[in-house]
Amino acid sequence: MSDLEQFRQETRAWLEENCPDSMRTPITGFEDLYNGGRNPEVSHPDQVVWCERMAEKGWTVPHWPREYGGGGLEKAEVKVLGEEMSRIGARRALDSFGISMLGPALLEFGNEEQKLEHLPKIARGEIRWCQGYSEPNAGSDLASLATRAEDKGDHYLINGQKVWTSYADKADWIFCLVRTDNTGTKHEGISFVLFDMDQPGVTVKPIKLISGSSPFCETFFDNARAEKKNLVGEDGKGWSIAKYLLTHEREMISGFGAGPKKTVGQMALETIGADASGRLANSVLRQNIAQYQLDTMAFGATMARVGDEVKSGKGLGPASSIFKYYGTELNKRRNELNLAVLGEYALGWEGDEYNGGTVSRDWLRSKGNSIEGGTSEVQLNIVAKRVLGLPDA
Amino acid sequence: MALVLNEEQTMLKDAAAGFLAEKATVAHQRALRDEGDERGYSESVWKEMAEMGWAGIAIAEAYGGLGYGYVGLGLVLEQTGANLSASPLQSSVLIGASVIAELGSEKQKEEWLPAIASGNKLVTLALQEGNHHAPLATAAAAARDGDGWVLNGEKVLVLDASSADAFIVIARTSGSSGDEQGLSAFLLEAGSAGATVTARSMVDSRNAGLLALKDARVGAEQLLGEEGGAWRGLSRALDIAAIGLAAEMLGLSTEAFTRTVDYLKERKQFGRVIGSFQGLQHRAAELFAELELCRSIVLQALQGIDNDDDNLPLLASAAKAKLCQITQQVTNEAIQMHGGIGMTDEHEIGFFIKRARVAQHTLGDYNYHLDRFAQLGGF
Ligand SMILES: Cc1cc2nc3c(=O)[nH]c(=O)nc-3n(C[C@H](O)[C@H](O)[C@H](O)COP(=O)(O)OP(=O)(O)OC[C@H]3O[C@@H](n4cnc5c(N)ncnc54)[C@H](O)[C@@H]3O)c2cc1C
């Protein structure tokens, strides 16, 4: 038996024994994603058990090195683990910004002490993180951020305001962009710091979204304190770390709409019916759906192609620059088609007869996909300038 | 199969690009057009292409080909698209040989495939009758006559009609319009009694024509496949052909796009290069994104032929529909972004939009294939 096959068998046996039955059911919404933290929110108590067991093996972050709380697995093993988890329908044990955003940045830019301090706590779901980038006057033009950090020897004193900070009201720590110097260009003088949200100098105020939920906040700093040892990279050199992290964020967002679902075409047949030739009865809607499904298929093939190119050692080609833009625009189209296909049902906001308004709320939430993590327009600017080499205005 | 090219394929692609950029460019195409060359392609360049083995890339080794598969042929077609190189690669190699490989008897394959692979014979498909690709609506009739048939009907858009050595004529031996059953395929040699070719002048100035059949007689040995049972094999060959045309369009639209982006960096108005205007930048970036999707879907479909994918019909219609959509958009934008100069015959960009529309139309346009894509998707 090959090592990989042996790994598969062991993994299968371990999962059979350790994955609670309740964690083998499909998730029904955001609340079923477990984010950990000091005061974890759960929709089922088994979420905590499942996360602990997986973290014990390092499998909440299977590809991270063991010394940082990861599983130390090879790529092929990570794939096997994923396959074995899908086989029994096991949920991911832990989802968090720590895993998808901060972790990769710390692995690349953190010093040894920082990695040993923060990564294992991310892996075990002990600390929940939020992202302090955007400010009222620094959105697409992120580098114009103004939150000040004053050097006080062993720590920084931070004053200013962040906005659109997702889950700031639930997070324990923040990774934050602050200005330590404003004498150079706007990209210089930005520093990447980490600090605890549980201190008197930090206040958060939830903001309600058009979808009715309040996932993000205004975050105020009034003499908040960040220890010097939690400065990642050099003072004033945080911009490249910020950008590196954004590529990981964009990757995560472009995958939002993915997952096995009934095709829109099948859904539409059920609600609208077919004509005598078996075609969807509304030919205008039919064309829109077909074009959407065609683009989804071609986009899927593009993700696969880029993945295969990376595996074959060709590196991340220019095609990857379109993922965030195209993936989020597709997801918005999908949600618009849901409305078109489901009609009145899709407009329900509350009540069991509308399943709590999931369709309309998801539709509204999807509008943010092409704003968060860099807007579609900003993504097109990047393609035009970096990939096509078109000059600045 | 990983969605990447292997080393051999990359070499083939580079070799094709190099050869065509020297021997069969837009300038050569213009010269052929201006000379009124009826063939529409250069016989000597075609000979060289055949000597390099291109005509046999996808033909099995047992029949004198390279057995290199359709990914290989697709790469060469892509390069012919980029250079707008006319040749019988589409008519005879992509389409004719595929129909024979699908439907022919052992004897027919031995007779015809090596001849196509060496470039010695040019075999083309005579299918379309009306204004649109509608294979099941075929009305040309094949009536029994002793141990053979007599053919009557008219075929349009027969590619390379005036230089073809033989036609594969699709005709009805039974059934009526819309039926799969009853379609038959016949190999009819050029010059046969009752078969008349009239060259037609098309917008891409390539060699397409009308084949008129008036009591043209074919014998039993000229039937390809079973009487009335051509549809299955023909339909697979049409899927292969659609994917090959999509590969050509990928090369064509990518090149038209590259030339346009180059122009955006060069042309100045209002004191700056027009490529610095965001209105144009975003349109260019969107086209770039779409072309990346095109590249993926074409490669996936080409691999689907070589892997005998069960979903080939869906892959074929997806690839053709997507490439028709984007080729149309790219070539339109190419003219628009070139401004007045793009409207002149002197500038080469116009050649791209002309060939584009013929390739889009051939064997089913966007509307045909998107409709089929939806049907195959169950709605
Ligand atoms: C659901 C959601 C969650 C978020 N979570 C977080 C978070 O956790 N942490 C965090 O720091 N931030 C977060 N954000 C903020 C997000 O990153 C910003 O909203 C985003 O960068 C856009 O900035 P803005 O809102 O100021 O819009 P603006 O920058 O003001 O943009 C307004 C419009 O102008 C366009 N525009 C701006 N500049 C250009 C240009 N150069 N060319 C063309 N068009 C342009 C934009 O594309 C947009 O259409 C979140 C946002 C959303 C919607």
Side-chain angles (χ1 to χ4, degrees):
Chain A
M1 197 178 349
S2 73
D3 289 352
L4 200 59
E5 190 48 35
Q6 171 143 9
F7 175 76
R8 184 185 294 279
Q9 306 238 336
E10 285 165 11
T11 302
R12 185 173 295 185
W14 186 89
L15 287 171
E16 276 303 346
E17 189 152 326
N18 288 283
C19 182
D21 287 342
S22 57
M23 294 294 107
R24 302 184 191 194
T25 55
I27 62 164
T28 56
F30 276 112
E31 65 280 4
D32 288 340
L33 300 175
Y34 182 64
N35 289 274
R38 288 175 186 145
N39 306 300
E41 288 180 305
V42 293
S43 61
H44 193 291
D46 281 348
Q47 285 177 313
V48 180
V49 178
W50 177 222
C51 179
E52 274 171 8
R53 289 181 184 166
M54 284 289 277
E56 187 73 21
K57 304 266 306 173
W59 287 358
T60 52
V61 279
H63 53 294
W64 289 9
R66 291 203 66 91
E67 62 267 37
Y68 307 134
L73 300 188
E74 300 291 327
K75 273 212 178 91
E77 292 170 328
V78 174
K79 191 159 167 254
V80 168
L81 173 62
E83 286 164 3
E84 289 304 314
M85 286 178 66
S86 333
R87 199 183 65 89
I88 59 168
R91 295 182 188 173
R92 270 206 304 273
L94 180 63
D95 271 280
S96 73
F97 290 173
I99 293 180
S100 57
M101 294 196 242
L102 179 61
L106 276 183
L107 282 168
E108 185 76 17
F109 297 100
N111 62 33
E112 196 56 25
E113 190 193 340
Q114 290 165 343
K115 290 188 210 173
L116 287 171
E117 169 65 20
H118 297 294
L119 293 174
K121 291 181 187 165
I122 291 173
R124 291 197 297 267
E126 285 171 15
I127 294 295
R128 184 170 180 175
W129 289 85
C130 65
Q131 176 189 30
Y133 274 34
S134 305
E135 297 179 6
N137 289 317
S140 298
D141 184 12
L142 182 59
S144 66
L145 61 92
T147 292
R148 276 172 296 115
E150 211 182 318
D151 194 331
K152 294 284 178 188
D154 65 342
H155 69 278
Y156 292 106
L157 217 49
I158 299 169
N159 284 285
Q161 186 197 340
K162 294 289 172 181
V163 72
W164 322 128
T165 326
S166 296
Y167 308 110
D169 52 340
K170 311 213 160 99
D172 307 309
W173 277 63
I174 186 167
F175 50 92
C176 196
L177 295 180
V178 294
R179 186 161 293 290
T180 44
D181 182 3
N182 51 22
T183 54
T185 71
K186 65 181 180 179
H187 295 97
E188 293 162 4
I190 293 174
S191 297
F192 191 104
V193 293
L194 317 173
F195 54 93
D196 198 323
M197 298 281 279
D198 185 14
Q199 55 168 305
V202 178
T203 322
V204 296
K205 242 172 77 190
I207 306 168
K208 193 166 172 180
L209 286 190
I210 50 176
S211 60
S213 64
S214 305
F216 59 22
C217 305
E218 288 178 284
T219 309
F220 302 91
F221 306 123
D222 182 11
N223 285 334
R225 185 183 163 111
E227 300 305 324
K228 265 283 179 63
K229 65 174 185 186
N230 283 320
L231 165 73
V232 182
E234 282 173 54
D235 186 298
K237 298 267 157 55
W239 183 244
S240 51
I241 307 175
K243 278 197 304 186
Y244 179 83
L245 186 141
L246 276 177
T247 60
H248 283 271
E249 178 181 9
R250 284 166 188 165
E251 220 168 87
M252 171 185 77
I253 297 170
S254 60
F256 273 174
K261 287 182 196 148
K262 224 182 257 181
T263 72
V264 205
Q266 283 157 352
M267 240 168 65
L269 270 188
E270 285 165 22
T271 54
I272 290 164
D275 68 12
S277 72
R279 289 174 171 86
L280 187 66
N282 185 319
S283 61
V284 179
L285 178 59
R286 182 171 180 267
Q287 178 180 352
N288 285 330
I289 294 175
Q291 184 69 54
Y292 164 76
Q293 292 196 186
L294 175 61
D295 291 341
T296 302
M297 180 175 169
F299 183 62
T302 305
M303 305 263 277
R305 174 165 68 87
V306 170
D308 287 343
E309 282 170 358
V310 170
K311 269 189 232 147
S312 77
K314 290 204 166 104
L316 202 58
S320 62
S321 65
I322 69 161
F323 285 175
K324 204 283 168 171
Y325 165 69
Y326 213 96
T328 56
E329 293 297 332
L330 265 181
N331 196 37
K332 289 199 298 181
R333 277 164 70 189
R334 162 77 203 222
N335 276 279
E336 286 296 346
L337 286 172
N338 285 349
L339 252 62
V341 166
L342 297 170
E344 186 264 353
Y345 174 82
L347 301 175
W349 181 251
E350 264 166 358
D352 288 345
E353 60 280 24
Y354 299 118
N355 190 26
T358 27
V359 178
S360 64
R361 287 164 191 264
D362 283 354
W363 161 69
L364 288 163
R365 177 62 184 84
S366 73
K367 300 298 175 204
N369 293 161
S370 51
I371 299 171
E372 59 198 313
T375 67
S376 279
E377 290 76 18
V378 166
Q379 300 305 309
L380 292 173
N381 287 345
I382 292 175
V383 172
K385 291 183 185 138
R386 307 255 171 79
V387 181
L388 302 178
L390 294 171
D392 276 325
Chain B
M1 202 186 278
L3 282 166
V4 282
L5 300 182
N6 62 33
E7 211 171 306
E8 228 182 347
Q9 289 162 342
T10 309
M11 274 166 59
L12 174 64
K13 180 179 179 162
D14 292 345
F19 176 83
L20 295 170
E22 188 189 330
K23 303 263 170 123
T25 60
V26 185
H28 291 100
Q29 191 60 27
R30 177 195 295 278
L32 287 165
R33 180 197 70 177
D34 292 348
E35 288 155 15
D37 188 298
E38 193 175 289
R39 227 188 269 104
Y41 60 89
S42 154
E43 184 71 24
S44 64
V45 173
W46 171 233
K47 248 185 109 184
E48 281 186 70
M49 288 162 78
E51 275 160 18
M52 290 186 289
W54 293 3
I57 289 179
I59 293 177
E61 283 170 289
Y63 303 110
L66 297 180
Y68 208 80
Y70 282 91
V71 173
L73 179 57
L75 290 173
V76 174
L77 284 166
E78 184 186 335
Q79 294 311 313
T80 66
N83 291 286
L84 298 184
S85 326
S87 79
L89 215 47
Q90 283 87 337
S91 63
S92 187
V93 176
L94 173 67
I95 309 177
S98 297
V99 179
I100 294 174
E102 290 299 324
L103 288 174
S105 66
E106 199 49 40
K107 188 161 170 285
Q108 289 165 328
K109 287 197 259 189
E110 275 167 13
E111 180 183 352
W112 289 98
L113 293 180
I116 294 173
S118 63
N120 288 335
K121 292 269 190 228
L122 197 168
V123 182
T124 188
L125 179 68
L127 171 64
Q128 185 168 329
E129 297 172 0
N131 287 348
H132 297 280
H133 175 69
L136 291 176
T138 294
R144 262 284 175 193
D145 177 39
D147 66 347
W149 294 265
V150 286
L151 307 179
N152 279 289
E154 267 190 8
K155 299 289 186 178
V156 296
L157 204 75
V158 179
L159 306 181
D160 295 323
S162 45
S163 48
D165 298 294
F167 303 93
I168 299 166
V169 178
I170 306 300
R172 273 202 182 279
T173 41
S174 65
S176 50
S177 179
D179 293 346
E180 292 177 6
Q181 194 58 34
L183 288 179
S184 302
F186 302 94
L187 258 167
L188 177 72
E189 297 208 31
S192 299
T196 322
V197 173
T198 316
R200 288 270 166 98
S201 167
M202 311 300 287
V203 69
D204 65 348
S205 65
R206 296 198 184 186
N207 171 357
L210 173 87
L211 174 68
L213 300 162
K214 198 156 183 316
D215 293 331
R217 198 173 186 290
V218 284
E221 71 290 352
Q222 285 162 278
L223 177 70
L224 276 172
E226 281 171 28
E227 176 176 355
W231 178 245
R232 252 181 85 98
L234 175 64
S235 162
R236 183 176 155 83
L238 292 177
D239 285 337
I240 292 173
I243 295 168
L245 287 164
E248 182 198 338
M249 287 192 279
L250 174 66
L252 184 155
S253 47
T254 303
E255 176 66 18
F257 176 68
T258 304
R259 289 180 180 221
T260 304
V261 171
D262 287 346
Y263 189 71
L264 294 183
K265 293 177 187 170
E266 173 193 310
R267 168 75 176 161
K268 281 202 179 128
Q269 282 296 285
F270 299 98
R272 51 185 173 139
V273 293
I274 57 173
S276 65
F277 296 121
Q278 197 181 50
L280 297 182
Q281 287 186 346
H282 281 194
R283 276 152 65 185
E286 276 170 20
L287 293 178
F288 171 80
E290 292 289 0
L291 284 169
E292 288 296 327
L293 264 67
C294 286
R295 180 162 300 284
S296 316
I297 198 88
V298 166
L299 184 55
Q300 192 180 46
L302 286 166
Q303 290 186 349
I305 309 175
D306 290 338
N307 298 340
D308 263 328
D309 198 308
D310 292 339
N311 269 329
L312 193 66
L314 187 85
L315 285 171
S317 278
K320 188 84 200 294
K322 185 74 202 164
L323 269 291
C324 285
Q325 176 209 351
I326 300 309
T327 302
Q328 176 151 335
Q329 197 183 334
V330 167
T331 48
N332 285 341
E333 287 284 59
I335 302 270
Q336 178 65 23
M337 292 189 194
H338 275 83
I341 196 92
M343 289 300 295
T344 63
D345 182 64
E346 190 189 338
H347 198 282
E348 290 190 344
I349 202 71
F351 281 74
F352 286 84
I353 198 169
K354 292 177 178 177
R355 172 57 193 160
R357 291 302 180 279
V358 179
Q360 286 169 238
H361 172 90
T362 304
L363 301 183
D365 61 7
Y366 170 80
N367 301 312
Y368 176 89
H369 282 286
L370 193 71
D371 176 62
R372 184 167 178 258
F373 175 82
Q375 258 182 315
L376 291 165
F379 64 103

